[in-house]
Amino acid sequence: MAVYYDPETRTFTLSTRNTTYQMKADELGTLLHTYYGTKTDTSDLSYAIHMQDRGLSGNPYETGQTDRGYSLDQLPQEVSCFGTGDYRTSSMKITNEDGTAALRLKYADHKIQKGKYSLPGLPASYDGEGAAQTLSITMRDEESGVTVELYYGVFADLDVITRAARIVNDGPGAKYVNKAGSMNLDFVSGEFDLITFYGKWARERVTERTPVNHGNLSIGSVRGASSPHYNPSAILCERSATETAGEAYGFAYVYSGDFLFEAEKDQIDQTRLVCSIHPMDFTWKLAPGESFYTPEILMTYSADGFAGLSNHFHEFIRKHIVRGKWRDIRRPVLINNWEGTYFDFNGDKLVAIAKDAAELGIELFVMDDGWFGKREDDNSGLGDWYPNEKKLGCTLKELGERIEDTGVKFGIWFEPEAVSEDSDLYREHPEWAMTIPGRLPNRSRNELILNMGREDVQDYILERMTEILRSAPISYVKWDFNRSVCDKFIETLPPDRQGEIAHRFTLGTYRVLEELIRTFPELLIEGCSSGGGRFDAGMLYYTPQIWCSDDTDPIERLTIQYGTSFIYPPNTMGAHVSASPNHQTRRVTPLQTRGVTAMSGTFGYELDLNKLTDEEKQEVKRQVRVFRDLYETLEQGEYYRLTTPFSDTCTVWEQVSRDKRTAVVNAVYHYARANHTPVYVRLRGLDTEKTYRLRLTEGNDYKTLPEHEQILFEEGRTFTGRTLMTRGIFIPIYLTEYQAWQIIAEEA
Ligand code: GLA
């Protein structure tokens, strides 16, 4: 049983295949957190919580005057409340109508149900196959009349536990939610590192490992989107944890707006993790009877290092976050015209690209920015979602049909949440833009943001997108979002609700996406936010893939995709082969290297195919074939990072098919150096008993390698899985700068 309640000890034990999570409602009603880690039994683990009088850490009144050891300031808890004696950072802060801010939630009741809870208006993982159980624990603060339901979704097979909460105002007056935490997770012992994914435009999700020392270590966003600056995910691990060993806990927030993730080490070296909507610009008013749902957070644990943790998340996101038709079927290899033409195109030019693409085996053509309104550059036109027929030379329907006639599907770009001041929409509805009366707004890429918290704005976007999507054969949409949100104001909200705008903005975007998917269930939507500026599990609920970064340089992508892979699977990472020299870095790289890197993402192209030589076109054809052949392994298989892009000469990663009959070892050299030091790797995830043969991918003749390196690929030579995972192999040397290899291990 995934959820077990012992009425005698009042313990709740959540069991997954390899992990146990336990909590206990103690005599005073505090919901203690007693354990999370390697699987153990269901016995009451609260004995291990040490209590002692610590000066300046007070005691709840009901403990009497004798027990000074019982302090909310040191007990590990499932939900931590501000204002009643726990002075660490808290997961919930609520202010009453009279201005007092005090909350003390006590256990009241619980329910265990089959299936998975859902969260109205918010993305959340779903069950579908009867794989999950839900535990809801009701916590009450009698004095203020606040009820909080804590939700736990247990996906036993995948070692994932999800959490969320519902805050209800059961009291008389209004309440103001100042901090809405999805998770409070306390560890009474352990020395930890926190791994986070920081970045910026064109350099998203770079890993950074920081010791959790005394104080509060936090990452977050107040940009209205999860942002490229800090991804809403993190790993807490023991100091010695590596890819292959050690305890590691992973967290992914299923939310795309402002967030805060905190790790705090307290006075007695306990560690607390809190994940919440960022409280800096958040207050949510609850009138009597109203309730508020926090977003969901995913948690997983691995006793065997980061690879285990990543594989739990990959499978979970693929199966229980991504939805619809595109969850299970192969996504099309696409070509996007952005880096090929930028704004300089017309219908004929696009059809010519589509024609070339079709001949090379590409399956979808995406028309990027510039097809609508008055949009010759990025200074105008956003919001006017009407095709520019003069520029296209035909209607959108005609263009779509011409594209489809070449043999590829047709997709288009939108930036629904944005508006240009130079647009008919802005001239007609200036009040729809996010601005504060009497204050000049902040411009970014010369655009303003639409107030997605307003229903009329949401309806306008839905109406425009629906009409466009109905008007032409469109099977794919790139949903872009190219700025951060500030200047927040909604004229229809009273002053004490203005703090709701950031969250309402995110909910508005979710509503539009949800309705769009309901109307067009076949549509494939790719998320984007100036590249990977809103790459999170919340968006993946609506958009099965997200453009990983505007940086398409394959060497830069090694770092970006490496960081992204800790949490998100390859089939969510938009990745394209672009031109060389690269447009962002000017670096010249082989086409093969660009192909190998992009194949560990959704795979596509973003260049002017007309500028390729015949030989290069043949190489593109080959790449598309290789990708299709290896699709199951590359996109659905287990993922292993064998070296890092930071300290090693060569980044090496591996995907292994579910049946363990095929593995792909991808290797990209970062630089060439005389008297090269060999790169050795041990493969992972193979079947120890199976026998494998190694080969290079199609188009690479192993006989071009130095003679002594050919030994790996010689006819008739086989290796056991055990050998490949213990002794391992060397990576063939580079024959050119930035050489990439794909070595296939196939069951012999
Ligand atoms: C953003 C996206 C790009 C492209 C441009 C178009 O920068 O990340 O891929 O779509 O917008 O303006």
Side-chain angles (χ1 to χ4, degrees):
M1 220 179 350
V3 181
Y4 173 72
Y5 174 64
D6 183 339
E8 256 168 49
T9 56
R10 301 214 299 177
T11 50
F12 300 88
T13 306
L14 314 183
S15 306
T16 69
R17 199 149 46 99
N18 301 299
T19 74
T20 295
Y21 186 105
Q22 197 191 65
M23 48 208 141
K24 175 187 172 88
D26 74 8
E27 299 76 39
L28 296 189
T30 307
L31 189 61
L32 301 174
H33 173 76
T34 59
Y35 180 70
Y36 187 24
T38 298
K39 190 159 189 157
T40 177
D41 54 42
T42 57
S43 57
D44 181 353
L45 302 174
S46 63
Y47 71 87
I49 300 171
H50 183 264
M51 287 187 227
Q52 182 183 319
D53 180 11
R54 301 184 191 281
L56 303 178
S57 288
N59 320 108
Y61 209 83
E62 45 297 20
T63 56
Q65 287 178 354
T66 45
D67 188 359
R68 291 191 183 171
Y70 190 103
S71 174
L72 296 172
D73 201 24
Q74 52 174 306
L75 284 171
Q77 295 159 72
E78 282 300 308
V79 53
S80 52
C81 305
F82 180 83
T84 51
D86 184 346
Y87 300 94
R88 298 167 285 182
T89 189
S90 27
S91 61
M92 295 274 176
K93 182 180 176 203
I94 295 176
T95 303
N96 298 303
E97 206 169 33
D98 62 7
T100 57
L103 187 69
R104 170 87 198 279
L105 292 167
K106 293 185 183 175
Y107 170 77
D109 200 1
H110 74 271
K111 223 190 297 168
I112 299 170
Q113 284 165 301
K114 267 199 176 150
K116 169 73 204 329
Y117 63 85
S118 53
L119 303 171
L122 283 165
S125 58
Y126 65 95
D127 181 1
E129 288 137 23
Q133 259 192 308
T134 293
L135 165 67
S136 330
I137 302 183
T138 307
M139 307 287 293
R140 292 259 316 148
D141 178 56
E142 292 300 341
E143 289 79 0
S144 64
V146 169
T147 303
V148 172
E149 299 237 25
L150 301 176
Y151 299 123
Y152 297 83
V154 186
F155 290 81
D157 280 356
L158 295 176
D159 284 327
V160 170
I161 296 173
T162 70
R163 294 186 60 175
R166 176 176 174 230
I167 305 167
V168 190
N169 180 4
D170 283 330
K175 306 273 177 294
Y176 295 87
V177 182
N178 306 122
K179 192 168 182 190
S182 302
M183 173 187 80
N184 183 90
L185 186 59
D186 285 334
F187 296 86
V188 292
S189 62
E191 288 287 316
F192 297 108
D193 284 345
L194 189 70
I195 299 176
T196 53
F197 308 94
Y198 77 97
K200 56 186 171 186
W201 172 73
R203 192 161 174 78
E204 297 89 342
R205 290 172 297 288
V206 184
T207 51
E208 187 159 78
R209 187 167 177 160
T210 315
V212 179
N213 288 323
H214 292 100
N216 186 310
L217 175 65
S218 71
I219 55 159
S221 164
V222 288
R223 294 167 178 272
S226 47
S227 92
H229 303 88
Y230 298 100
N231 192 257
S233 61
I235 293 170
L236 185 81
C237 60
E238 58 181 334
R239 294 259 158 96
S240 57
T242 63
E243 280 292 340
T244 53
E247 292 195 283
Y249 300 84
F251 307 93
Y253 206 22
V254 190
Y255 188 58
S256 318
D258 293 356
F259 77 96
L260 180 66
F261 193 97
E262 302 164 274
E264 181 175 311
K265 188 169 178 176
D266 74 7
Q267 55 177 337
I268 52 169
D269 298 347
Q270 305 185 117
T271 301
R272 166 168 288 182
L273 295 185
V274 171
C275 179
S276 66
I277 293 177
H278 204 302
M280 174 101 78
D281 191 20
F282 171 81
T283 313
W284 195 276
K285 181 177 180 182
L286 289 179
E290 283 184 349
S291 60
F292 179 85
Y293 287 86
T294 74
E296 174 165 279
I297 185 156
L298 314 178
M299 311 188 295
T300 193
Y301 163 84
S302 164
D304 309 314
F306 310 135
L309 182 149
S310 298
N311 281 315
H312 295 164
F313 272 147
H314 287 195
E315 195 56 359
F316 189 79
I317 288 172
R318 273 193 292 248
K319 279 198 170 150
H320 297 286
I321 293 284
V322 170
R323 294 180 292 169
K325 170 180 162 183
W326 296 103
R327 183 184 90 152
D328 299 314
I329 61 169
R330 187 171 68 72
R331 316 254 177 83
V333 176
L334 66 81
I335 182 150
N336 177 303
N337 72 307
W338 178 244
E339 285 196 20
T341 67
Y342 295 104
F343 289 102
D344 180 19
F345 63 84
N346 57 32
D348 288 346
K349 201 164 175 179
L350 300 184
V351 173
I353 298 176
K355 193 159 166 285
D356 277 353
E359 277 163 16
L360 301 179
I362 294 170
E363 298 154 306
L364 167 74
F365 170 81
V366 179
M367 174 170 68
D368 211 277
D369 196 355
W371 58 267
F372 53 90
K374 183 186 142 218
R375 182 81 172 162
E376 290 310 328
D377 54 31
D378 57 9
N379 291 312
S380 62
L382 289 171
D384 294 344
W385 303 110
Y386 297 88
N388 182 344
E389 293 180 0
K390 201 162 150 237
K391 176 170 177 175
L392 299 179
C394 57
T395 64
L396 195 63
K397 180 166 187 279
E398 283 159 354
L399 180 66
E401 286 168 355
R402 288 178 68 198
I403 300 271
E404 286 212 332
D405 283 348
T406 68
V408 295
K409 295 281 185 197
F410 179 48
I412 59 173
W413 179 96
F414 284 95
E415 191 181 348
E417 296 141 297
V419 64
S420 305
E421 285 160 272
D422 184 3
S423 69
D424 292 342
L425 180 68
Y426 183 77
R427 282 182 281 273
E428 200 178 324
H429 283 293
E431 78 286 5
W432 283 5
M434 195 85 92
T435 54
I436 299 173
R439 190 179 277 278
L440 292 174
N442 190 270
R443 284 178 176 149
S444 184
R445 211 193 185 202
N446 240 342
E447 57 187 67
L448 300 180
I449 280 293
L450 283 178
N451 219 322
M452 293 298 286
R454 291 175 65 129
E455 229 172 281
D456 46 5
V457 169
Q458 297 162 21
D459 289 343
Y460 168 79
I461 295 170
L462 266 171
E463 187 264 312
R464 286 316 317 137
M465 289 186 80
T466 306
E467 193 186 305
I468 293 285
L469 295 176
R470 287 222 168 102
S471 74
I474 296 168
S475 54
Y476 162 109
V477 159
K478 178 172 169 186
W479 178 302
D480 210 340
F481 179 48
N482 287 322
R483 61 159 291 175
S484 306
V485 182
C486 60
D487 301 305
K488 283 170 242 171
F489 177 70
I490 297 188
E491 63 183 357
T492 49
L493 288 180
D496 65 350
R497 284 193 180 273
Q498 293 292 323
E500 299 177 7
I501 295 175
H503 185 57
R504 282 176 184 267
F505 182 90
T506 306
L507 293 178
T509 297
Y510 287 155
R511 185 199 147 213
V512 175
L513 280 161
E514 185 66 39
E515 300 229 348
L516 212 59
I517 290 169
R518 202 173 307 143
T519 315
F520 302 98
E522 304 276 301
L523 188 70
L524 172 60
I525 311 181
E526 176 154 347
C528 176
S529 176
S530 290
R534 196 163 53 179
F535 201 121
D536 53 66
M539 285 308 285
L540 287 173
Y541 184 69
Y542 306 96
T543 70
Q545 53 195 57
I546 300 175
W547 182 225
C548 203
S549 177
D550 273 354
D551 189 344
T552 57
D553 176 314
I555 304 306
E556 298 265 284
R557 275 287 183 130
L558 294 176
T559 308
I560 297 167
Q561 294 179 194
Y562 171 86
T564 309
S565 78
F566 276 84
I567 309 289
Y568 307 99
N571 75 337
T572 63
M573 296 183 210
H576 300 166
V577 171
S578 61
S580 177
N582 176 269
H583 291 193
Q584 293 80 41
T585 60
R586 314 306 306 162
R587 196 195 316 259
V588 174
T589 54
L591 184 51
Q592 163 147 320
T593 303
R594 286 173 268 152
V596 168
T597 314
M599 275 187 220
S600 280
T602 56
F603 196 56
Y605 291 82
E606 189 161 331
L607 41 72
D608 188 347
L609 291 174
N610 287 314
K611 294 198 178 130
L612 297 189
T613 62
D614 283 348
E615 203 183 317
E616 286 173 323
K617 284 187 179 168
Q618 289 315 309
E619 165 70 6
V620 169
K621 232 181 188 173
R622 183 193 69 80
Q623 290 181 352
V624 173
R625 215 169 29 234
V626 167
F627 178 69
R628 282 207 208 134
D629 285 353
L630 295 174
Y631 185 82
E632 284 297 318
T633 308
L634 289 172
E635 303 290 288
Q636 307 283 348
E638 293 201 333
Y639 194 95
Y640 296 96
R641 294 166 291 268
L642 303 186
T643 69
T644 90
F646 303 109
S647 48
D648 298 296
T649 325
C650 179
T651 301
V652 189
W653 69 99
E654 177 199 3
Q655 287 106 325
V656 185
S657 66
R658 300 262 138 208
D659 60 11
K660 296 190 183 290
R661 297 183 60 188
T662 312
V664 183
V665 177
N666 312 270
V668 178
Y669 280 96
H670 314 154
Y671 48 79
R673 189 164 274 170
N675 198 0
H676 155 77
T677 305
V679 178
Y680 291 100
V681 292
R682 289 182 178 144
L683 274 58
R684 302 199 63 199
L686 301 179
D687 183 333
T688 46
E689 303 308 321
K690 280 195 188 349
T691 304
Y692 297 88
R693 208 176 11 235
L694 300 184
R695 67 172 171 89
L696 294 172
T697 31
E698 187 198 326
N700 293 283
D701 183 357
Y702 78 87
K703 299 230 166 89
T704 57
L705 295 173
E707 213 175 312
H708 63 276
E709 294 196 354
Q710 297 181 14
I711 195 164
L712 293 179
F713 308 103
E714 276 169 357
E715 304 282 310
R717 180 172 291 274
T718 58
F719 303 86
T720 63
R722 191 185 304 280
T723 305
L724 291 172
M725 292 196 291
T726 49
R727 177 56 273 185
I729 59 170
F730 56 80
I731 300 296
I733 196 173
Y734 44 84
L735 305 178
T736 176
E737 202 181 14
Y738 304 120
Q739 175 82 51
W741 297 113
Q742 262 174 334
I743 302 166
I744 317 294
E746 266 160 345
E747 191 180 6

